[in-house]
């Protein structure tokens, strides 16, 4: 019996080891409310994640559920560690990865953070520093995680904070893959106990005698230099005392690290680079000009800003420079109000992330919810809801398959960029800050407040729009560049053609010396419009300025150093070319496969391109690969010394273009010149949903089913649309036919003459068909359409709003006001059409 038991244990161990954790599949934030979790429910949800195509979860303990306070499990208690280990072990068995936050809620802090180690703020009064606690507590803390926010600049605060985890993890075998640090939200923190001493040691003068410069609103050059030094010191302390100790501790414990550096007063490029997996954030909804793409009218740009690919590139730049295979993103946060987010809104946001260099998507997210919880279950206060009770849960595997298909290619290829763009952060630091604590917080939400206002941001936007390939580089990272046979090499052994210095005023002497070193080794350096004018650093500025100008003059005389008022001309001279894809209105990223092939991910996030010939920056023949499983062949032709490809990519669509060694045969261009509208009457039968199934109906003209009588205004679920139609007489002459469903609210499962054609879930709502599927007469078209859950929640919040029973912030709407769906207007639902056949 004992031998059998040992054999079973060995077999189970081998089975566990055989499961592969996939980073290509999307992962999800997994909030544990009050850590009120049970093993059987954890297992059930892990199995649900596996079935839907989720590759991993990120445990974040947060505030609890009202009435269940006694069932909450304190963070890091023996019971909590037991359920965490169970999650990791079962996750490995199922092939589901597990990450966790080094704390609860955000930012770092908790019960072992004393007042001496808590975040501090300094205000200047009559030229003197007045230092107080910020009194900020951990936001959305879970039981056992409450307490002051950590002082991010303190010499020993991080190491002391981590002792709690040292004790907890002792003897623990089943540990998560990764530790995670959320975005910097230590609001008002701008000082630490030994800041004045550290400042004097690093900057060689006394900040206490120059504090008025921090709030000086005049254009005083001395004040600008002091503000730069102040921010420089904060940035160094944040990196040395906060980011690096945490990543070092994590690695010693066997964890990898994911880090959201944004929101902080440091240089984001250096902070992101400290982690194994830099993580950006896609918060809110972009304003893509894709026909049919909806934007929640209640979303406040003034309050939250919009996602921006340049902000995303800070994380991917740090990864690409340092050879980090994975770059992650918090994805889909507040994309629209609760119960109003569709899959068709999610895909373009993910496509923008891919084009910005992100390849490890984390949905934001999924809430742990026991099966017995009344609908809609336990929910996190912020949208989007990716859990089992989501209205798109049935179709979520289709999005997951798409993400996995794309990420598998993006993770197994290397960046292929031409330009390193220097980030002159000292120009930002020179300006007077208006944010909390009188410091510049480099957030991803309102990039208009810092990034886009700088010449650096304006230049980067021009490069992005023109189709140049580039990444950002910091002062510190310049020191890590090497040159081999006149080729500029990063630590990841990736080559670049040139370094571009945006128009700027300030530059450290150390940075100028690095540029001198690189130019002496043969690297091309291009200054936009002008050389920097001033050396940073207030101490001995006059003598340093003279030396700076002398070095600048010497650097300018080198043949491979250019001051350019015409960047396009300078780029061409140095064999740096833009991609025509961007000129056509397409968004892309260019990479290299392990086999050395060129790989483009291309997405159409605008409304200027549909099809046409496109010249690629890389020569050779290319194959088009459709991530949604469509046709992969491609037409091409010779154009001078390059190949042109014929690309058909409608607004909302995306594809890969991969170079091939074989020339192949030019593909045939199919021209869709005819269309035929399928008109009513349509029979509508409601299949399943909430609260009740409305009565069957007929529609001559397609419109929202909410116009129907009975309970259709409140119905959330699935309805079947049926119609019989005759095929157009000339359809049999066509090889290729596209069924265009027009405006679909929100997903549609299509059957034609008894043959299942699949589900459409993203814009454009189209399916490619074989003309042989059609009959001359009496074609039977059946379309099952599933809408949002918003319409039912309108009724639910009128009748039974008792589901909103969570602590802390409970549930709020997209403007952070008390959530109440009862006043919503009905959301359009069903087939809105028109339904067309498009063919040759």
């Amino acid at each position: 019996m004992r031998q059998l038991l040992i054999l079973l244990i060995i077999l189970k161990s081998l089975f566990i080891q055989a499961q592969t954790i996939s980073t290509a599949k999307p992962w999800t934030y997994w909030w544990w409310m009050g850590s009120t979790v049970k093993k059987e429910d954890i297992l059930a949800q892990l199995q649900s994640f596996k079935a839907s195509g989720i590759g991993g979860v990120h445990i974040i303990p947060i505030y609890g559920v009202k009435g269940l306070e006694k069932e909450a499990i304190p963070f890091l208690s023996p019971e909590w560690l037991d359920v965490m280990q169970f999650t990791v072990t079962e996750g490995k068995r199922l092939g589901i990865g597990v990450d966790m936050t080094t704390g609860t809620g955000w930012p770092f802090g908790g019960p072992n953070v004393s007042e001496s180690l808590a975040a501090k703020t300094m205000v200047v009064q009559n030229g003197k520093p007045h230092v107080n606690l910020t009194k900020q507590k951990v936001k959305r803390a879970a039981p056992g995680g409450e307490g002051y926010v950590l002082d991010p600049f303190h010499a020993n605060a991080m190491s002391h904070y981590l002792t709690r985890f040292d004790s907890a993890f002792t003897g623990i075998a089943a540990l998560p893959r990764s530790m995670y640090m959320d975005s910097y939200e230590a609001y008002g923190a701008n000082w630490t106990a030994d800041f004045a001493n550290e400042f004097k040691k690093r900057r060689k003068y006394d900040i206490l005698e120059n504090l008025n410069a921090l709030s000086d609103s005049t254009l005083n050059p001395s004040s600008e230099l002091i503000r730069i030094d102040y921010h420089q010191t904060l940035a160094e302390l944040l990196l040395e005392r906060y980011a690096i100790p945490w990543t070092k501790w994590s690695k010693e414990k066997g964890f990898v690290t994911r880090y959201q550096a944004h929101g902080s007063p440091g240089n984001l490029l250096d902070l992101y680079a400290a982690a194994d997996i830099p993580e950006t954030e896609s918060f809110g909804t972009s304003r893509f000009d894709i026909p049919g793409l909806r934007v929640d009218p209640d979303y406040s740009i003034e309050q939250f800003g919009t996602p921006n690919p340049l902000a995303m590139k800070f994380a991917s730049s740090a990864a690409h420079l340092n050879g980090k295979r994975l770059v992650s993103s918090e994805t889909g946060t507040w994309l629209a109000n609760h119960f109003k987010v569709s899959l068709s809104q999610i895909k373009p946001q993910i496509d923008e992330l891919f084009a910005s260099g992100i390849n490890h998507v984390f949905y934001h997210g999924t809430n742990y919810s026991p099966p017995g919880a009344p609908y809609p279950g336990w929910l996190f206060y912020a949208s989007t809801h990716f859990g089992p009770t989501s209205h798109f849960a049935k179709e979520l595997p289709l999005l997951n398959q798409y993400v996995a298909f794309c990420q598998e290619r993006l993770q197994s290829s290397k960046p292929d960029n031409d330009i390193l763009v220097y980030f002159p952060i000292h120009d930002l630091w020179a300006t007077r800050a208006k944010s909390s604590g009188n410091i510049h917080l480099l957030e991803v939400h309102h990039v208009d407040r810092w990034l886009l206002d700088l010449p650096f941001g304006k230049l980067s936007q021009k490069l992005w729009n023109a189709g140049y390939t580039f990444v950002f580089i910091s002062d510190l990272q310049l020191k890590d560049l090497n040159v081999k046979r006149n080729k500029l090499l990063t630590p990841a052994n990736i080559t670049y053609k040139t370094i571009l210095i945006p128009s700027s005023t300030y530059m450290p002497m150390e940075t100028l010396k690095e540029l001198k070193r690189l130019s002496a080794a043969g690297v091309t350096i291009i200054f936009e419009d002008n050389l920097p004018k001033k050396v940073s650093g207030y101490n001995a500025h006059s003598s340093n300025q003279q030396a700076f100008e002398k070095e600048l003059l010497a650097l300018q005389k080198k043949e491979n150093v250019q001051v350019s008022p015409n960047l396009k001309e300078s780029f061409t001279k140095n064999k740096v070319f833009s991609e025509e894809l961007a000129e056509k209105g397409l968004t892309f990223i260019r990479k290299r496969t392990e086999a050395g092939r060129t790989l483009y991910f291309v997405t159409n996030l605008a409304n200027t391109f549909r099809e046409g010939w496109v010249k690629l920056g890389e020569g050779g023949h290319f194959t088009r690969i459709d991530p949604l499983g469509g046709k992969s062949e491609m037409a091409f032709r010779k154009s001078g010394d390059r190949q042109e490809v014929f690309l058909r990519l409608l607004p909302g669509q995306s594809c890969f273009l991969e170079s091939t060694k074989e020339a192949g045969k030019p593909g045939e261009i199919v021209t869709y010149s005819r269309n035929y509208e399928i008109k009513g009457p349509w029979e509508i039968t409601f299949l399943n949903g909430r609260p009740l199934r409305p009565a069957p109906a007929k529609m001559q003209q397609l419109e929202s089913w909410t116009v129907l009588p009975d309970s259709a205004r409140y119905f959330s679920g699935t309805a079947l649309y049926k119609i019989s139609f005759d095929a157009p007489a000339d359809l049999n002459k066509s090889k290729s036919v596209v069924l265009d469903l027009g405006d679909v609210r929100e997903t549609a499962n299509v059957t034609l003459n008894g043959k299942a054609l699949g589900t459409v879930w993203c814009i454009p709502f189209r399916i490619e068909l074989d003309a042989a599927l059609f009959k001359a007469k009496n074609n039977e078209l059946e379309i099952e359409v599933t809408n949002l859950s918003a319409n039912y929640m309108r009724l639910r919040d009128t009748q039974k709003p008792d589901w909103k029973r969570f602590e802390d912030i409970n549930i709020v709407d997209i403007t952070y006001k008390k959530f109440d769906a009862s006043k919503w207007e009905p959301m359009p639902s069903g087939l809105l059409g028109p339904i067309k056949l498009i063919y040759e």
Side-chain angles (χ1 to χ4, degrees):
M1 185 68 182
R2 185 184 176 197
Q3 290 178 332
L4 178 60
L5 181 61
I6 293 174
L7 179 61
L8 288 172
I9 293 173
I10 293 173
L11 289 174
K12 182 178 180 181
S13 175
L14 292 173
F15 182 64
I16 290 173
Q17 294 174 18
Q19 303 302 298
T20 302
I21 304 300
S22 171
T23 58
K25 295 177 181 179
W27 289 35
T28 184
Y29 286 67
W30 195 19
W31 297 288
W32 284 8
M33 303 194 98
S35 296
T36 310
V37 297
K38 296 180 180 178
K39 289 183 178 179
E40 58 267 30
D41 296 342
I42 287 174
L43 178 57
Q45 290 184 41
L46 289 174
Q47 291 170 333
S48 173
F49 290 138
K50 178 180 176 64
S52 71
I54 295 291
V57 296
H58 168 193
I59 298 171
I60 310 179
I62 55 165
Y63 54 87
V65 180
K66 293 177 183 177
L68 298 180
E69 291 82 3
K70 293 183 179 179
E71 297 180 31
I73 304 174
F75 182 59
L76 295 185
S77 66
E79 188 180 358
W80 193 93
L81 292 168
D82 180 52
V83 292
M84 181 272 288
Q85 290 183 88
F86 175 82
T87 303
V88 173
T89 301
E90 289 302 304
K92 286 182 180 179
R93 182 177 65 83
L94 295 169
I96 300 290
V98 179
D99 289 356
M100 69 170 280
T101 302
T102 321
T104 77
W106 59 90
F108 284 175
N112 69 331
V113 178
S114 64
E115 289 192 0
S116 64
L117 300 179
K120 295 171 181 63
T121 187
M122 184 275 293
V123 294
V124 181
Q125 295 178 359
N126 300 320
K128 301 294 182 182
H130 287 258
V131 181
N132 296 291
L133 293 178
T134 65
K135 296 186 178 179
Q136 183 184 358
K137 299 293 184 68
V138 176
K139 194 175 181 180
R140 319 295 181 226
E146 306 94 336
Y148 281 121
V149 165
L150 195 69
D151 178 353
F153 312 112
H154 195 283
N156 304 310
M158 178 60 80
S159 59
H160 180 80
Y161 174 73
L162 293 171
T163 58
R164 187 182 186 208
F165 296 87
D166 282 323
S167 301
F169 291 152
T170 299
I172 300 295
L175 291 172
R177 172 195 72 155
S178 176
M179 282 288 136
Y180 168 81
M181 187 192 299
D182 209 327
S183 57
Y184 181 97
E185 295 186 26
Y187 297 124
N190 61 2
W191 199 260
T192 195
D194 65 343
F195 182 85
N197 292 335
E198 283 296 317
F199 186 95
K200 192 169 186 176
K201 183 171 67 176
R202 297 163 189 256
R203 310 280 88 89
K204 309 304 180 186
Y205 68 97
D206 194 343
I207 185 61
L208 297 178
E209 297 176 359
N210 297 276
L211 288 173
N212 284 332
L214 302 182
S215 55
D216 185 1
S217 59
T218 68
L219 298 178
N220 186 332
S222 295
S223 294
E224 292 184 355
L225 291 166
I226 294 167
R227 283 196 290 265
I228 291 173
D229 287 342
Y230 171 68
H231 276 90
Q232 181 77 53
T233 305
L234 286 175
E236 290 171 1
L237 295 178
L238 185 63
L239 178 64
E240 296 167 15
R241 295 178 167 186
Y242 197 65
I244 290 178
W246 171 71
T247 55
K248 182 175 181 291
W249 173 88
S250 298
K251 290 178 181 178
E252 289 173 351
K253 296 296 180 183
F255 303 111
V256 297
T257 51
R258 283 175 38 228
Y259 181 18
Q260 290 192 355
H262 47 268
S264 77
N267 192 322
L268 300 189
L269 295 169
D270 300 330
L271 293 168
Y272 280 130
D276 298 298
I277 307 174
E279 178 162 304
T280 189
E281 180 178 337
S282 181
F283 184 108
T285 175
S286 300
R287 269 36 183 179
F288 300 124
D289 189 19
I290 299 174
L293 181 63
R294 301 188 308 282
V295 172
D296 192 328
D298 293 330
Y299 181 80
S300 172
I301 294 179
E302 182 179 351
Q303 190 173 0
F304 302 117
T306 56
N308 188 289
L310 295 182
M312 300 165 188
K313 281 183 73 69
F314 274 80
S316 61
S317 293
H320 292 169
L321 279 171
N322 294 281
K324 300 175 190 296
R325 188 175 70 91
L326 300 176
V327 196
S328 58
S329 175
E330 173 187 320
T331 305
T333 309
W334 281 127
L335 189 52
N337 221 329
H338 294 282
F339 313 109
K340 290 187 176 182
V341 179
S342 66
L343 292 178
S344 64
Q345 291 170 297
I346 296 171
K347 179 181 176 291
Q349 298 292 158
I350 291 178
D351 286 344
E352 182 177 58
L353 287 166
F354 288 161
S356 303
I358 309 306
N359 61 13
H360 190 16
V361 161
F362 277 76
Y363 295 144
H364 190 279
T366 306
N367 215 96
Y368 170 96
S369 184
Y375 182 86
W378 296 359
L379 294 186
F380 189 59
Y381 77 91
S383 175
T384 300
H385 174 39
F386 286 86
T389 60
S390 169
H391 45 249
F392 55 60
K394 184 175 65 175
E395 293 82 13
L396 182 60
L398 300 175
L399 172 64
N400 294 341
Q401 289 168 21
Y402 171 79
V403 172
F405 184 96
C406 293
Q407 291 193 157
E408 182 177 2
R409 284 152 183 79
L410 294 170
Q411 290 176 11
S412 61
S413 53
K414 295 182 178 180
D416 183 21
N417 301 290
D418 295 326
I419 308 168
L420 289 174
V421 182
Y422 167 68
F423 177 35
I425 194 172
H426 301 83
D427 277 18
L428 174 67
W429 286 343
T431 62
R432 183 188 174 200
K434 298 178 183 178
S435 57
S436 175
N438 201 28
I439 55 177
H440 289 283
L441 302 177
L442 281 62
E443 57 180 333
V444 296
H445 304 295
H446 281 287
V447 294
D448 53 301
R449 296 176 181 173
W450 62 276
L451 172 59
L452 300 184
D453 273 349
L454 291 172
F456 161 79
K458 295 174 182 177
L459 171 62
S460 299
Q461 192 68 62
K462 289 179 182 177
L463 296 175
W464 177 267
N465 293 338
Y468 289 100
T469 58
F470 62 94
V471 298
F472 303 140
I473 189 167
S474 73
D475 298 89
L476 279 178
Q477 291 164 348
L478 281 170
K479 298 178 182 179
D480 296 327
L481 297 179
N482 293 307
V483 183
K484 188 175 183 180
R485 298 190 185 95
N486 290 332
K487 287 187 176 181
L488 180 60
L489 293 174
T490 68
N493 212 31
I494 304 293
T495 61
Y496 288 81
K497 294 181 179 178
T498 188
I499 299 175
L500 176 60
I501 312 296
S503 178
S504 56
T505 300
Y506 290 99
M507 178 178 283
M509 179 66 82
E510 295 82 0
T511 299
L512 182 58
K513 289 180 178 179
E514 288 302 321
L515 295 177
K516 182 179 178 181
R517 172 182 70 85
L518 294 168
S519 68
V523 174
T524 298
I525 300 173
I526 302 174
F527 289 85
E528 180 202 19
D529 291 335
N530 56 263
L531 296 169
K533 300 176 181 63
K534 300 178 184 179
V535 67
S536 62
Y538 178 68
N539 181 57
H541 183 263
S542 180
S543 58
N544 288 338
Q545 180 66 24
Q546 292 179 14
F548 183 76
E549 291 173 359
K550 184 178 179 180
E551 293 283 2
L552 267 180
L553 184 61
L555 182 66
Q556 189 178 4
K557 291 179 179 179
K558 294 184 176 294
E559 290 185 4
N560 55 333
V561 176
Q562 305 161 29
V563 179
S564 176
N566 188 330
L567 288 178
K568 184 175 182 180
E569 184 178 291
S570 298
F571 288 154
T572 303
K573 179 181 177 182
N574 291 284
K575 298 182 180 180
V576 175
F577 302 101
S578 61
E579 292 281 0
E580 196 175 82
L581 289 163
E583 295 177 24
K584 300 287 187 181
L586 302 171
T587 306
F588 72 96
I589 187 171
R590 191 180 72 209
K591 306 194 75 180
R592 293 277 180 184
T593 68
E594 293 177 350
R597 297 180 179 179
T598 301
L599 181 73
Y600 292 87
F601 172 78
V602 187
T603 179
N604 191 349
L605 301 175
N607 191 23
T608 57
F609 182 86
R610 278 162 176 74
E611 62 179 46
W613 291 98
V614 180
K615 185 185 295 184
L616 300 177
E618 295 292 317
H621 302 275
F622 283 82
T623 298
R624 180 185 189 275
I625 305 169
D626 187 345
L628 293 177
K631 295 181 179 179
S632 295
E633 67 271 8
M634 169 155 282
F636 56 87
R637 70 184 182 189
K638 193 77 171 176
S639 177
D641 62 341
R642 295 293 176 92
Q643 290 280 355
E644 281 187 322
V645 297
F646 186 84
L647 182 62
R648 178 175 288 117
L649 202 68
L650 299 181
Q653 291 183 327
S654 56
C655 71
F656 285 93
L657 303 177
E658 184 172 358
S659 64
T660 62
K661 293 182 179 179
E662 298 79 20
K665 296 180 180 180
E668 180 183 355
I669 299 174
V670 178
T671 303
Y672 294 96
S673 57
R674 288 171 282 187
N675 66 78
Y676 173 80
E677 184 174 351
I678 301 174
K679 297 182 178 180
W682 292 84
E683 296 180 4
I684 305 174
T685 306
F686 292 90
L687 302 179
N688 52 72
R690 297 181 176 86
L692 299 169
R693 287 188 299 166
K698 287 188 178 182
M699 278 188 181
Q700 188 65 38
Q701 290 282 89
L702 288 173
E703 56 183 326
S704 173
W705 74 46
T706 58
V707 303
L708 297 173
D710 201 13
S711 59
R713 286 169 55 86
Y714 296 106
F715 180 77
S716 293
T718 303
L720 173 63
Y721 288 71
K722 293 178 66 175
I723 195 171
S724 179
F725 68 97
D726 297 339
D730 54 355
L731 184 67
N732 59 0
K733 300 177 182 178
S734 176
K735 296 179 182 178
S736 299
V737 182
V738 172
L739 175 63
D740 188 330
L741 299 182
D743 191 359
V744 176
R745 304 297 181 96
E746 300 297 329
T747 61
N749 188 37
V750 184
T751 301
L752 177 64
N753 294 327
K755 181 177 177 59
L757 302 179
T759 301
V760 290
W761 53 273
C762 58
I763 297 172
F765 294 100
R766 291 184 165 200
I767 296 180
E768 296 180 0
L769 305 176
D770 187 336
L773 288 175
F774 292 90
K775 302 182 294 184
K777 301 286 185 180
N778 299 322
N779 291 280
E780 297 292 331
L781 179 62
E782 298 176 299
I783 306 174
E784 291 185 9
V785 183
T786 302
N787 72 334
L788 303 170
S789 51
N791 287 351
Y792 169 66
M793 293 308 297
R794 294 170 56 238
L795 179 65
R796 178 63 189 267
D797 261 10
T798 301
Q799 298 177 335
K800 294 181 179 180
D802 55 321
W803 64 275
K804 295 176 283 191
R805 50 186 291 236
F806 315 118
E807 302 286 355
D808 197 273
I809 197 172
N810 201 345
I811 287 285
V812 293
D813 67 15
I814 202 167
T815 61
Y816 281 69
K817 295 177 182 177
K818 184 178 179 180
F819 182 85
D820 182 4
S822 65
K823 296 180 175 61
W824 287 351
E825 293 295 319
M827 294 287 291
S829 302
L831 282 181
L832 277 60
I835 314 296
K836 296 180 180 179
L837 298 177
I838 302 173
Y839 55 104
E840 297 176 74

